[in-house]
Amino acid sequence: NAGVTQTPKFRILKIGQSMTLQCTQDMNHNYMYWYRQDPGMGLKLIYYSVGAGITDKGEVPNGYNVSRSTTEDFPLRLELAAPSQTSVYFCASTLGGSREQYFGPGTRLTVT
Amino acid sequence: QQQVKQSPQSLIVQKGGISIINCAYENTAFDYFPWYQQFPGKGPALLIAIRPDVSEKKEGRFTISFNKSAKQFSLHIMDSQPGDSATYFCAASSPGNTGKLIFGQGTTLQVKP
């Protein structure tokens, strides 16, 4: 099992550009999450999904969108990149009923 | 705003010493308290977790102490090793069917040889 995979590992965007961060898990987990990590701030939940076709906002959803068309994939979309979205983004998954979240290796995004 | 407050922000410990990281929470509905360990360039990984019906849980050199009345919990790393150098996050979760975690701010631990 590859676990949770994220692409790309690094990306530099210009202000106003858009991009999609990819997340895939092969553990048949029904719950998936997107976090951003900023220095000294911990991990903040952006969006989450409890199953295909079901998504909901987390603590910091502004400027982001998600979709969940399959159990395996949970892409995160940035439509108009802003410098405030410079961060490290982590995708995580878990099986409903378990509280242990499995994290991907992260995507480091810089918006200039 | 549900919060989990973590301290200290950074910690330096000599090899063989005890590392202690503290967390405090506000929401009494939280019923699951994990600690995650993150090495540079990697995603966090579950280290140890506790539920509020016990006051202590030990796994090897790692122990969680839980004080329900004070709404505090802490991670103790006994016989700290240079390989323990990482960032540690406490977190908390409420009952329900979303599995969402509220994370503390993180503590960067350096264990000096």
Side-chain angles (χ1 to χ4, degrees):
Chain A
N1 283 354
V4 180
T5 57
Q6 293 183 238
T7 57
K9 288 187 177 358
F10 305 95
R11 183 73 185 268
I12 298 174
L13 279 182
K14 295 189 184 304
I15 294 171
Q17 286 185 322
S18 62
M19 75 164 296
T20 299
L21 282 68
Q22 301 291 345
C23 174
T24 300
Q25 53 87 15
D26 63 358
M27 298 175 283
N28 203 29
H29 287 170
N30 48 344
Y31 292 5
M32 296 186 74
Y33 310 86
W34 273 107
Y35 295 91
R36 60 177 289 170
Q37 182 179 15
D38 301 298
M41 299 294 289
L43 292 98
K44 301 291 186 185
L45 183 65
I46 304 171
Y47 270 96
Y48 67 99
S49 169
V50 298
I54 306 170
T55 63
D56 206 350
K57 296 178 181 179
E59 188 180 356
V60 289
N62 292 345
Y64 308 93
N65 277 299
V66 294
S67 59
R68 183 100 181 268
S69 57
T70 67
T71 299
E72 295 79 19
D73 301 306
F74 190 39
L76 178 71
R77 179 83 177 163
L78 283 71
E79 290 294 349
L80 290 170
S84 61
Q85 294 176 306
T86 293
S87 188
V88 181
Y89 291 85
F90 289 99
C91 178
S93 72
T94 191
L95 198 58
S98 168
R99 306 286 190 101
E100 179 177 359
Q101 293 188 14
Y102 292 81
F103 283 79
T107 293
R108 183 174 294 275
L109 175 68
T110 301
V111 182
T112 62
Chain B
Q1 174 83 16
Q2 298 178 347
Q3 285 191 336
V4 177
K5 295 184 179 179
Q6 184 173 345
S7 63
Q9 187 172 356
S10 62
L11 183 61
I12 300 174
V13 173
Q14 291 295 128
K15 178 182 175 182
I18 302 174
S19 303
I20 302 174
I21 305 170
N22 301 298
C23 283
Y25 63 96
E26 299 173 355
N27 187 350
T28 55
F30 288 147
D31 71 338
Y32 174 75
F33 302 88
W35 285 89
Y36 279 77
Q37 180 187 54
Q38 182 183 31
F39 293 105
K42 305 292 186 182
L46 179 66
L47 183 64
I48 186 173
I50 197 168
R51 295 188 184 269
D53 52 345
V54 297
S55 60
E56 185 175 283
K57 183 174 181 179
K58 184 176 181 180
E59 291 184 2
R61 296 184 294 109
F62 300 90
T63 300
I64 300 179
S65 296
F66 186 82
N67 186 329
K68 189 173 181 178
S69 61
K71 294 189 287 186
Q72 295 175 346
F73 59 109
S74 59
L75 176 69
H76 296 237
I77 306 175
M78 311 300 288
D79 187 26
S80 298
Q81 299 296 312
D84 298 330
S85 297
T87 300
Y88 293 82
F89 294 96
C90 64
S93 175
S94 301
N97 58 358
T98 66
K100 291 189 294 182
L101 292 172
I102 307 295
F103 282 89
Q105 295 88 336
T107 296
T108 300
L109 171 65
Q110 182 184 359
V111 181
K112 290 195 169 183

